[in-house]
């Protein structure tokens, strides 16, 4: 496998910065390991986040909608909850861009909680707390670490259905946590759980905004899930013209 020149350039810099042998880094990339895991960081907006396997690597399409969301969060918003936080990329960027926000983040994987906490310190985001929890649990809404009502609810949940999971590139399927990728047979399991949370009494503020990343062909189905619990929805497109974000509102 011959590496693109831009990848080789980044690997040379990573080797020099950390005093690591370049040939070892090149071999890892040639074996299919994601470049971000080898380098150890990934830009996300103005932030530089630590990444390591098997925590999901932040993607450009996620960065795009998070920056757009930050511009639409009202100044009155104070409390944010991110579900399935992974590296912490979503709440940390929002807290960075909207300094009035205090962010909570949950993930079922304790390694993700550790990484998100490290990234908060790395990015000097002090109004942030991550903890381990499974938001598919019917009793999640009463978790002791939660402090509802939340003004902003975000998630890039697992949304890949089984048939698409089997076809993922090896560098995704073999390195990134399947718990952060596989969204059940239809890919929609986690959206149903989030919709149930969204209408829990006093879980969200009356004018809360909900922002969810969705799969490339899931916008209509996810929008219908939230409309079925009487929320208003709209779909945002990514830079490539795909509807990749569903926004839902409790307010009128």
């Amino acid at each position: 496998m011959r590496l693109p020149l831009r990848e080789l350039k980044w690997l040379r810099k990573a080797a020099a910065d950390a005093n690591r042998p370049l040939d070892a880094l090149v071999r890892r990339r040639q074996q299919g390991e994601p470049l971000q895991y080898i380098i150890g960081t990934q830009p996300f907006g103005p932030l530089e986040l630590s990444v390591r396997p098997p925590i999901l690597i932040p993607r450009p399409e996620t960065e795009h909608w998070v920056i757009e969301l930050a511009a639409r969060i009202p100044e009155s918003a104070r409390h944010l909850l991110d579900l399935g936080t992974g590296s912490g990329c979503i709440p940390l960027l929002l807290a960075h861009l909207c300094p009035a926000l205090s962010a909570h983040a949950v993930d079922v994987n304790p390694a993700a909680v550790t990484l998100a906490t490290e990234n908060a310190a790395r990015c000097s985001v002090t109004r942030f707390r991550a903890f381990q929890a499974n938001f598919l649990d019917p009793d999640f809404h009463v978790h002791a670490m939660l402090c509802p009502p939340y003004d902003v609810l975000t998630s890039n949940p697992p949304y890949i259905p089984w048939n698409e999971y089997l076809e993922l590139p090896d560098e995704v399927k073999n390195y990134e946590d399947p718990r952060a990728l596989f969204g059940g047979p239809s890919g929609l399991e986690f959206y149903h759980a989030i919709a149930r949370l969204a209408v829990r009494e006093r879980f969200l503020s009356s004018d809360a905004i909900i922002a969810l990343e969705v799969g490339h062909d899931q916008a209509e189905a996810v929008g219908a899930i939230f409309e079925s619990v009487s929320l208003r929805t709209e779909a945002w497109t990514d830079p490539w013209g795909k509807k990749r974000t569903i926004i839902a509102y409790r307010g009128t």
Side-chain angles (χ1 to χ4, degrees):
M1 174 182 176
R2 186 179 179 86
L3 300 185
L5 289 178
R6 66 181 182 279
E7 291 194 7
L8 195 55
K9 177 182 176 181
W10 291 329
L11 289 173
R12 283 199 183 101
K13 184 177 186 306
D17 289 347
N19 194 26
R20 294 185 289 176
L22 176 61
D23 58 346
L25 303 189
V26 170
R27 280 197 301 273
R28 289 169 61 184
R29 183 67 186 122
Q30 289 174 328
Q31 291 166 0
E33 185 174 351
L35 182 69
Q36 295 90 335
Y37 286 157
I38 301 170
I39 294 173
T41 60
Q42 170 67 18
F44 197 74
L47 305 180
E48 186 81 12
L49 300 175
S50 294
V51 292
R52 57 176 175 261
I55 310 307
L56 192 72
I57 298 166
R59 265 55 171 193
E61 56 267 30
T62 307
E63 176 186 276
H64 179 263
W65 70 256
V66 172
I67 291 173
E68 185 173 351
L69 177 65
R72 302 198 189 191
I73 291 176
E75 293 182 3
S76 59
R78 293 292 180 270
H79 302 289
L80 175 149
L81 175 63
D82 184 53
L83 301 172
T85 201
S87 65
C89 59
I90 294 172
L92 292 177
L93 182 52
L94 288 172
H96 175 82
L97 297 174
C98 305
L101 282 177
S102 294
H104 278 163
V106 304
D107 202 288
V108 71
N109 187 346
V113 173
T114 298
L115 181 59
T117 302
E118 291 176 8
N119 275 326
R122 177 187 180 100
C123 299
S124 301
V125 177
T126 57
R127 296 163 66 92
F128 176 84
R129 190 167 190 178
F131 55 94
Q132 183 183 8
N134 182 358
F135 66 89
L136 294 181
D137 186 334
D139 294 325
F140 170 75
H141 66 289
V142 296
H143 194 287
M145 298 293 288
L146 293 171
C147 296
Y150 290 99
D151 304 305
V152 184
L153 181 66
T154 58
S155 186
N156 177 16
Y159 55 67
I160 298 175
W162 181 244
N163 61 320
E164 291 186 17
Y165 181 79
L166 294 175
E167 298 176 357
L168 286 174
D170 286 345
E171 71 175 64
V172 175
K173 190 164 52 178
N174 293 344
Y175 289 91
E176 295 185 88
D177 191 347
R179 290 177 295 179
L181 298 166
F182 179 52
S186 70
L188 302 175
E189 178 180 6
F190 290 83
Y191 299 107
H192 286 287
I194 296 169
R196 290 191 293 270
L197 276 176
V199 295
R200 284 275 186 182
E201 187 176 3
R202 293 188 292 274
F203 192 78
L204 298 180
S205 59
S206 60
D207 57 352
I209 182 171
I210 303 161
L212 309 168
E213 186 165 321
V214 300
H216 64 93
D217 60 354
Q218 293 175 329
E220 184 176 347
V222 174
I225 290 170
F226 285 83
E227 289 165 8
S228 74
V229 294
S230 302
L231 299 181
R232 293 187 299 115
T233 68
E234 61 184 74
W236 292 355
T237 57
D238 67 15
W240 302 275
K242 294 283 188 181
K243 293 180 178 179
R244 293 300 301 271
T245 312
I246 289 294
I247 305 297
Y249 304 91
R250 293 196 64 192
T252 57

